[in-house]
Amino acid sequence: MQDATKTESPLLEMKGITKRFKGIAANDHIDLILRCGEVHSILGENGAGKTTLMNILSGLYQPDEGEIFIDGKKVTIKSPSDAVKLGIGMVHQHLKLVDTLRVWENIIIGYEPTTFSFIRRKEAKTKIKNIQQRFGLYVDLDAKPPSLTACDRQKTEILKVLYRGARILILDEPTSLLTPNEKEKLIQTIKSMTAEGICSVPFITHKLPDVLELSTSLTVLRKGRVVATLNASEIGTEESLAEKMVGRPVLFRLDKKDLTPGNTMFAVDGIEAFDERGVKTVNGVSLSINEGEILGIAGVSGNGQKELANVIMGLIKPSKGKVIFKGEDITRSNTHARRDRGFAYIPDDRMTEGIVPDLSIKENILIGNHRKAMFTNRWLINDAAACKYAEETIKKFNVDTLDIDKPVGKLSGGNIQKIVLARELSRDPIFILADKPTRGLDVGSQEYIHSILLKERENRKAILLISEDLDETMMLSDRIAVIYEGKIIKILPGKGTTKEEIGLLMAGHCTAS
Amino acid sequence: MASFSPLFWVRKKLENIHFNRDTLRSLLPALISVVAVFITLCIAFVYISISTGTGFFDLWGSFYYAAFGSASAIGRMLTKATHILIVTIGLIIAFKSGLFNLGGVGQMAVGAILGAGAGLFLPLPIPLRVIIGFGSAFLVSGAIAGALGWFKARFNIDEIFTTLMVGFVLVAILNYFIDGPWGQTGSAEAKTPVVPGSFPYMLPGLTPLIFLALALIPIAYYLLNRTPLGFEMRLVGSGKSVAQNQGINASKIAIISMIISGGICGLAGAGQVYGDMTRIVVGMPGYFGFYAIPAAVMVNYKPHYALFSSIFLSILIMGSLGLTSVGIISDFGEVLIGIVFIVTIAVNRLGRKK
Amino acid sequence: MDFTPVISAAFSILGLSPLLVLSSIGILIANKSGVFNIGVQGNIAIGTTFGILGVSFFGSIWAGLALGFLAGLAVAIVSAYLTINKPYDQLQIGFGIWFVTEGLAGFIYFMSMNSAFRVEETFPSFNGLDIIFFSTIAITIVYYFVIHRTKYGLAVVAAGENPGAADVAGISVFRVRWICTLVGGSLLGLAGSWFSIIVLRHFFYNMVAGYGWLAILTVIFAGFAALPTFLSALFFSFLIGMQTRIQVYGFLPLPREIILVLPYIFGVILLIISGVLRKKKSAPAALGHPYERE
């Protein structure tokens, strides 16, 4: 990692970029300079304005104020096509691939070589193959996106951008879906691209380790403003960066007490299950979790975690295997029965599975309790009791609002997740399944939720944590089970295991123990 | 003694309708719709008076007279409004659970068949026939809708289309009955004999059917907003995954709501026989089952406002029927309803900034 | 055994197919780009009205067909504006349009024509298969090639599946959807006018009842693909036509009322079969969702 060399005029310069949405500045007088051959990261929490800035650069938004210069010349980027003409290509966080089209069609879309509007197939494919050779991005051109791995889909997006002749490659959260192994490959690819002449790679992320590894320079955004612009040598530690992102010192190592786990509370044995497409995604999973323990499941999304979670909660029936709770076989029981036994579930997609955005806070907290005696009054729901309970609960869980009639959808991500936790945990469960509980949340909320989970652990609950965030898993779990292609490859102790070990297992490498 | 008077109960039901802050916001689309209708009628009447020579103001007169002009006109208008209202309530219950029951017409047909059948053929005292007629209308219609709900739950077959198509088929079955086995011999048009037990008129054109409709409003409101079952229905409707994660059986709730919805529409059909036409005539059940769709959407699926939208649409229909005296077929009412519907959607969207 | 009457009967039934087939293709084109108009029944109905009107006012069948086409286009313009430019719920708008157009179809006809009008001119045909029939086949073939081989086809598929992807590729999702809706709507109007002018030769109220709905269902049943849609629509036309014929010959004694709703009955059966057999939804992913650039 060297300092960026200062050559002639910078490749890209953004001056005083300001963009407001409904009066609030998402970008507030932002300055940015990129030079040829650099990998410049843009760091910030959710909502700091990173994606807005890049959307401006790629032509999806127009800035309210400010100017953009490319190669020293002032430009206006009014649409994605303008951006492409200027050599700017963005690889979006939410991949923009058409599932029913083949990879090569996805790559050339909008820029097809045609004769009388008929696509010249061979020519297109040859051109793509040349690019593949040059950068080493190999993907099956005739496949369709649903059958590809996340890594390959991302390669397709990158190829798309390269096909259009991009010199500035914007990568928006590119590593969030990759295994450590794939991440390495991507980093290598980026390095070779900068060497090859793809000049500058703004790299948007909130993952600090990736930033440290790759960047030649970086900008930290906070609440729409530039807080720091650093060169490689100035970057410093993860802690200092986190502090700049959030504005205050951030605790990275939480206060985790040593506990001796109790009896086995919950176990699954030999679970096999299919997903909604009929593919067998869970292929023989056996786990057990004890009282006062957090078992973390590490693995890239899509290796069976979701179906396993569904089986555990009783939402789908396993084709084979047993679910055992406190020694009893509950495989046949349904979700309702399991909840009665003390199961709590924090689902991974809070907006569609955790809360109902249109209903009020009061109603969302009532969910699950709405048939209980203390909330019903003969046949009707006792509104007064529901109100009181909601008010107590939001206070207890630090939710930033006092209006229980507000529709939940209007709250921030962190507050929404707090409501989910509030609802689930205030019923005093015995077993907690937390699926990606801090996904997409700001550092502050993450901290809070981690502390809650640790507190439950101290209260002798059994907690199963599914997460894509290896750091989170390593920090919270007493034991870590690595899942790959529907099987638990190995269960490692929480202390003393290295990231590399886990990373290898996540990618499928089996080590003889 | 006052508590036995029907008027007392009407007033009590009206009191149960809650007015809160978004009354004003809900009124805006209605006002704009009225203006839109007014403009459309002006344009249409200009066109009509040019092509048929009828006076412009005469047309307005016919329209007004048919809708409001006499006690019997108002009575008839209110009766048609009750048909729309009952189906609207049924639709609202389904909509709130996330399902589109578009088979209102068909379910009305089934209700009409059963209601008339019970009245005409059961060897029982008349009040019993009426009760069985309505009861079976509810059960059978509900069963049909529930079956279609099951298809949706089990196979994900879109209930929008199944209810719609089955609805048309059921109307055809009704037509078969009045043309064939139940038809009154010797009559020019297809119809059944008068069904015994048909409700008497309180006012010209108005039968106690309206009380049934008004009673349904608070029942629906309390069901949806104050009972655990209604809560679960709304959960399944706005957040199915959340409901399932809590252990609520979404399929069961969906089917139950379809049964209730279909049952209520069946009641509308029996109601049309007993409370309006006194028999099944060709042309029944008409498109009231479809007009319920804009009626429900216009009030944002709130049962306590459904009465007003139903009356509004009924005015449009009855007024347009009045134009037949100058030779214009009544489809014009449908055009008006369509325009109102579109205008409401547009305005609603404007009023709600996301 | 002499097959001639059977063959000629088969041909004449086939000749009736354009109503359903052309409607289905028209709907397919619009749906492929992500626009779903449930009020298409009205497009066809308007076409029937203006078809006869055109013949009556201009004296020629071609004029009638053209007018039907244009009427369908006009309705399509309105529905395109309401569903593409505005983020209104397509289902509700569709119903609104259905009410308006179905009502107008009857209203305009009876306002403009005094008595029952019959089309006298004959239309050239080969054993019952006329130029519209062959045009329908041609249109289907053109559609297939455009979708699979040209850049416009790529744009349409993208607009229907992932309009966000199309947008960042520089494709104007609005323009694509507008064009597809207008083309589809016009074909529906043409189908309607063809039916009233050439098949029935006069107008009666609710003459195309159910065909619009059946066409929508046919497209769903056929998985939104060109050839299956064409063949399915052809097949269902054939079944309906045959049933009517058989009724005349007295084979299968279904009541008259049931014959009239055969399209609906077929529709339900189609839906149930396709639902039970098919697990995966093959509709364009963005179907029915208005596109708003965030």
Side-chain angles (χ1 to χ4, degrees):
Chain A
M1 212 173 43
Q2 329 96 326
D3 269 20
T5 48
K6 298 218 182 316
T7 49
E8 342 72 39
S9 69
L11 176 61
L12 168 71
E13 188 169 352
M14 298 174 90
K15 269 198 196 152
I17 297 290
T18 307
K19 177 75 181 166
R20 292 189 190 88
F21 291 111
K22 296 190 192 177
I24 302 180
N27 288 153
D28 198 348
H29 296 93
I30 294 184
D31 293 329
L32 189 72
I33 295 185
L34 292 165
R35 296 181 194 280
C36 220
E38 278 192 349
V39 176
H40 184 100
S41 294
I42 300 179
L43 203 57
E45 293 201 295
N46 285 333
K50 319 187 285 290
T51 306
T52 308
L53 187 65
M54 290 303 112
N55 280 340
I56 291 177
L57 194 54
S58 57
L60 284 173
Y61 296 154
Q62 270 70 60
D64 297 325
E65 286 168 39
E67 299 167 317
I68 303 176
F69 299 87
I70 297 208
D71 286 328
K73 278 195 299 235
K74 178 157 171 204
V75 298
T76 38
I77 310 177
K78 288 210 281 283
S79 69
S81 341
D82 285 348
V84 170
K85 281 192 206 120
L86 293 167
I88 300 172
M90 179 146 161
V91 177
H92 301 261
Q93 180 182 11
H94 302 292
L95 299 180
K96 310 264 181 193
L97 292 177
V98 181
D99 283 341
T100 52
L101 293 177
R102 300 183 189 279
V103 164
W104 69 272
E105 293 171 316
N106 266 292
I107 292 175
I108 68 175
I109 189 170
Y111 296 89
E112 310 88 345
T114 61
T115 322
F116 297 122
S117 74
F118 279 85
I119 300 177
R120 295 201 289 265
R121 258 182 215 207
K122 228 181 259 181
E123 187 183 317
K125 281 192 171 174
T126 316
K127 188 169 169 195
I128 299 176
K129 288 204 177 109
N130 286 338
I131 299 177
Q132 289 191 307
Q133 294 244 338
R134 199 174 151 202
F135 297 102
L137 292 163
Y138 294 107
V139 192
D140 179 7
L141 293 184
D142 284 315
K144 290 194 182 171
S147 61
L148 298 175
T149 61
C151 183
D152 281 343
R153 265 179 266 155
Q154 198 177 65
K155 280 192 206 155
T156 309
E157 282 278 350
I158 297 179
L159 281 171
K160 203 187 337 183
V161 155
L162 293 173
Y163 179 87
R164 295 171 198 171
R167 286 184 307 153
I168 301 174
L169 203 67
I170 307 174
L171 297 172
D172 191 353
E173 300 282 5
T175 57
S176 49
L177 297 170
L178 303 178
T179 62
N181 204 356
E182 292 172 334
K183 211 189 287 192
E184 267 310 302
K185 280 200 219 139
L186 178 65
I187 291 179
Q188 287 311 315
T189 310
I190 296 177
K191 287 192 174 152
S192 68
M193 280 199 280
T194 44
E196 267 278 347
I198 301 299
C199 285
S200 192
V201 187
F203 182 80
I204 307 172
T205 182
H206 62 231
K207 296 213 171 154
L208 300 171
D210 304 337
V211 168
L212 291 181
E213 192 171 343
L214 198 48
S215 324
T216 54
S217 50
L218 70 83
T219 301
V220 184
L221 292 181
R222 186 167 80 227
K223 293 210 200 322
R225 296 218 182 94
V226 174
V227 192
T229 306
L230 306 169
N231 268 320
S233 50
E234 301 165 320
I235 287 180
T237 61
E238 284 186 37
E239 279 83 5
S240 67
L241 287 179
E243 193 174 329
K244 290 196 174 66
M245 272 168 62
V246 181
R248 54 180 170 80
V250 175
L251 229 59
F252 265 103
R253 299 284 169 256
L254 284 171
D255 200 12
K256 187 171 163 203
K257 297 206 175 87
D258 271 336
L259 291 176
T260 39
N263 305 320
T264 303
M265 168 91 65
F266 176 81
V268 290
D269 188 29
I271 298 282
E272 291 183 13
F274 293 82
D275 72 357
E276 10 169 72
R277 290 180 302 164
V279 178
K280 193 196 266 199
T281 45
V282 185
N283 231 324
V285 166
S286 300
L287 295 169
S288 68
I289 309 171
N290 305 316
E291 284 176 349
E293 176 183 43
I294 297 183
L295 175 66
I297 297 189
V300 177
S301 263
N303 275 296
Q305 295 95 321
K306 185 71 184 159
E307 287 72 37
L308 182 63
N310 284 341
V311 168
I312 292 175
M313 287 311 294
L315 293 165
I316 63 178
K317 292 259 175 298
S319 52
K320 270 210 197 112
K322 288 198 275 211
V323 179
I324 302 165
F325 184 67
K326 285 193 176 165
E328 244 184 279
D329 183 343
I330 60 165
T331 323
R332 291 206 179 288
S333 68
N334 61 18
T335 312
H336 191 78
R338 294 188 198 193
R339 281 192 170 270
D340 279 343
R341 287 175 185 275
F343 277 42
Y345 182 30
I346 300 167
D348 67 333
D349 189 345
R350 53 183 167 271
M351 290 304 283
T352 60
E353 297 177 341
I355 51 123
V356 182
D358 293 329
L359 296 183
S360 67
I361 296 177
K362 173 180 80 182
E363 289 176 308
N364 269 285
I365 294 184
L366 187 61
I367 299 176
N369 289 325
H370 55 280
R371 285 197 182 264
K372 295 227 174 78
M374 77 164 163
F375 292 110
T376 56
N377 203 344
R378 271 201 277 163
W379 289 336
L380 303 177
I381 294 178
N382 184 341
D383 201 40
C387 283
K388 202 172 111 196
Y389 183 69
E391 279 161 10
E392 289 171 1
T393 315
I394 59 178
K395 239 185 268 176
K396 207 164 91 173
F397 281 86
N398 270 341
V399 179
D400 279 342
T401 184
L402 294 170
D403 182 6
I404 57 172
D405 286 318
K406 195 165 169 180
V408 173
K410 299 210 173 174
L411 297 175
S412 69
N415 278 316
I416 291 179
Q417 193 71 321
K418 283 182 198 165
I419 295 213
V420 175
L421 256 80
R423 183 185 71 222
E424 297 293 316
L425 298 179
S426 53
R427 292 211 287 257
D428 207 27
I430 309 175
F431 170 67
I432 303 172
L433 173 59
D435 194 348
K436 304 193 200 62
T438 58
R439 187 178 63 112
L441 295 183
D442 57 280
V443 176
S445 299
Q446 284 188 14
E447 242 192 318
Y448 181 70
I449 291 178
H450 289 163
S451 66
I452 291 197
L453 288 175
L454 285 177
K455 201 168 77 170
E456 294 292 323
R457 170 182 172 268
E458 277 169 40
N459 287 335
R460 316 292 297 172
K461 312 284 165 77
I463 304 176
L464 182 62
L465 172 71
I466 301 176
S467 175
E468 293 176 302
D469 187 343
L470 210 43
D471 296 304
E472 177 181 62
T473 314
M474 287 173 69
M475 181 163 57
L476 293 175
S477 319
D478 293 299
R479 291 185 294 145
I480 301 177
V482 183
I483 194 169
Y484 180 73
E485 287 187 347
K487 290 203 183 68
I488 302 289
I489 305 226
K490 199 158 178 208
I491 301 185
L492 303 159
K495 276 212 197 126
T497 309
T498 62
K499 226 177 176 174
E500 286 70 33
E501 270 182 86
I502 303 180
L504 282 175
L505 292 170
M506 275 167 72
H509 292 250
C510 295
T511 49
S513 50
Chain B
M1 280 300 121
S3 51
F4 287 104
S5 130
L7 245 52
F8 175 80
W9 287 110
V10 170
R11 215 183 316 135
K12 192 119 175 89
K13 259 107 197 175
L14 286 172
E15 277 169 25
N16 272 335
I17 300 169
H18 294 85
F19 286 107
N20 52 29
R21 238 186 318 179
D22 59 354
T23 301
L24 277 165
R25 218 189 297 153
S26 302
L27 280 180
L28 183 62
L31 289 173
I32 300 201
S33 305
V34 172
V35 172
V37 166
F38 188 74
I39 295 176
T40 312
L41 284 176
C42 283
I43 298 176
F45 288 167
V46 167
Y47 173 62
I48 294 171
S49 39
I50 292 179
S51 52
T52 64
T54 323
F56 180 75
F57 292 103
D58 292 334
L59 291 167
W60 276 106
S62 305
F63 189 91
Y64 173 82
Y65 188 71
F68 304 108
S70 59
S72 66
I74 296 183
R76 278 197 297 270
M77 184 271 288
L78 284 178
T79 304
K80 304 302 176 195
T82 54
H83 301 323
I84 300 178
L85 177 57
I86 299 177
V87 181
T88 303
I89 301 278
L91 257 52
I92 288 178
I93 290 180
F95 284 160
K96 283 289 201 182
S97 314
L99 294 164
F100 293 91
N101 178 7
L102 301 185
V105 272
Q107 286 144 28
M108 277 182 81
V110 169
I113 293 174
L114 287 164
L120 288 171
F121 300 119
L122 284 184
L124 293 169
I126 290 186
L128 221 53
R129 295 192 212 180
V130 175
I131 295 178
I132 293 182
F134 274 92
S136 58
F138 185 90
L139 290 173
V140 175
S141 278
I144 293 176
L148 294 176
W150 179 79
F151 271 111
K152 169 76 189 262
R154 175 77 174 82
F155 298 109
N156 206 16
I157 299 176
D158 225 0
E159 78 288 359
I160 298 180
F161 294 115
T162 50
T163 51
L164 198 58
M165 302 289 122
V166 167
F168 288 136
V169 174
L170 291 172
V171 174
I173 293 178
L174 177 143
N175 285 328
Y176 165 71
F177 272 109
I178 62 176
D179 213 19
W182 292 2
Q184 179 151 35
T185 47
S187 84
E189 55 167 10
K191 61 185 177 189
T192 67
V194 175
V195 176
S198 301
F199 298 160
Y201 288 111
M202 313 178 310
L203 300 168
L206 190 62
T207 65
L209 180 65
I210 192 166
F211 296 131
L212 171 66
L214 290 175
L216 283 175
I217 294 179
I219 291 176
Y221 181 84
Y222 272 87
L223 171 69
L224 284 174
N225 293 314
R226 295 266 188 266
T227 62
L229 173 64
F231 188 58
E232 288 179 355
M233 295 205 294
R234 284 186 294 133
L235 276 181
V236 171
S238 355
K240 186 163 142 191
S241 304
V242 181
Q244 286 176 318
N245 284 340
Q246 294 295 323
I248 296 174
N249 185 344
S251 301
K252 193 174 81 168
I253 297 288
I255 294 175
I256 291 178
S257 90
M258 282 297 272
I259 292 178
I260 298 177
S261 171
I264 293 179
C265 295
L267 290 179
Q272 199 184 15
V273 170
Y274 281 100
D276 185 7
M277 309 294 287
T278 72
R279 66 212 306 171
I280 306 183
V281 183
V282 72
M284 272 171 72
Y287 273 11
F288 296 112
F290 284 126
Y291 300 147
I293 299 173
V297 173
M298 276 169 68
V299 293
N300 212 6
Y301 311 120
K302 293 188 199 296
H304 40 293
Y305 295 139
L307 177 64
F308 305 113
S309 62
S310 304
I311 289 182
F312 181 46
L313 296 184
S314 178
I315 292 174
L316 295 180
I317 296 179
M318 297 308 285
S320 306
L321 269 177
L323 299 176
T324 49
S325 59
V326 287
I328 301 160
I329 59 172
S330 62
D331 262 4
F332 194 63
E334 203 168 314
V335 177
L336 289 178
I337 293 184
I339 292 177
V340 164
F341 196 9
I342 294 177
V343 166
T344 314
I345 296 170
V347 175
N348 256 335
R349 191 67 200 205
L350 283 175
R352 242 186 296 148
K353 296 247 172 195
K354 278 222 171 148
Chain C
M1 178 155 164
D2 185 16
F3 282 111
T4 345
V6 178
I7 293 183
S8 79
F11 267 110
S12 64
I13 296 179
L14 209 58
L16 296 177
S17 61
L19 174 62
L20 189 60
V21 180
L22 195 56
S23 301
S24 303
I25 297 288
I27 293 174
L28 176 64
I29 295 176
N31 283 2
K32 204 71 172 169
S33 72
V35 176
F36 186 72
N37 185 3
I38 207 173
V40 289
Q41 178 70 37
N43 275 55
I44 306 179
I46 284 269
T48 62
T49 300
F50 279 91
I52 301 277
L53 251 54
V55 176
S56 144
F57 282 168
F58 296 108
S60 104
I61 290 190
W62 291 105
L65 289 174
L67 205 59
F69 181 88
L70 291 174
L73 181 67
V75 174
I77 291 176
V78 173
S79 76
Y81 179 72
L82 290 172
T83 53
I84 300 174
N85 288 36
K86 302 278 178 175
Y88 303 142
D89 183 37
Q90 290 190 3
L91 191 66
Q92 296 170 1
I93 293 280
F95 267 102
I97 297 208
W98 179 43
F99 289 150
V100 174
T101 48
E102 182 129 339
L104 278 180
F107 177 70
I108 293 180
Y109 184 80
F110 287 115
M111 284 307 303
S112 324
M113 311 280 294
N114 287 321
S115 50
F117 174 86
R118 291 196 78 85
V119 176
E120 303 301 339
E121 240 181 284
T122 51
F123 200 60
S125 73
F126 167 74
N127 270 26
L129 307 178
D130 59 20
I131 189 170
I132 297 292
F133 176 81
F134 292 111
S135 305
T136 308
I137 299 181
I139 292 174
T140 310
I141 296 178
V142 167
Y143 167 79
Y144 178 85
F145 275 103
V146 168
I147 284 285
H148 286 106
R149 295 295 164 93
T150 69
K151 65 177 188 174
Y152 300 122
L154 212 59
V156 170
V157 173
E161 285 289 331
N162 190 346
D167 197 7
V168 298
I171 296 170
S172 163
V173 174
F174 271 23
R175 197 156 62 153
V176 168
R177 287 183 168 182
W178 261 90
I179 293 177
C180 288
T181 309
L182 294 186
V183 169
S186 318
L187 290 182
L188 287 163
L190 179 63
S193 62
W194 171 82
F195 193 67
S196 63
I197 296 175
I198 293 169
V199 176
L200 290 184
R201 309 208 140 245
H202 68 283
F203 180 91
F204 69 87
Y205 183 57
N206 232 1
M207 60 199 305
V208 282
Y211 281 94
W213 303 110
L214 182 57
I216 295 178
L217 295 177
T218 307
V219 174
I220 297 178
F221 174 76
F224 296 88
L227 192 58
T229 306
F230 180 80
L231 291 178
S232 310
L234 204 62
F235 180 60
F236 300 134
S237 271
F238 204 78
L239 281 183
I240 296 175
M242 282 240 322
Q243 183 58 53
T244 323
R245 283 301 168 108
I246 289 177
Q247 177 70 10
V248 169
Y249 292 129
F251 272 124
L252 207 62
L254 279 180
R256 176 172 58 92
E257 292 83 9
I258 306 294
I259 300 280
L260 284 174
V261 289
L262 272 178
Y264 298 121
I265 298 180
F266 275 131
V268 180
I269 297 177
L270 283 198
L271 271 182
I272 296 184
I273 293 178
S274 66
V276 174
L277 290 182
R278 196 179 298 246
K279 290 298 177 103
K280 206 166 53 133
K281 282 221 154 171
S282 40
L287 189 64
H289 296 133
Y291 180 63
E292 288 173 280
R293 191 192 272 182
E294 287 292 329

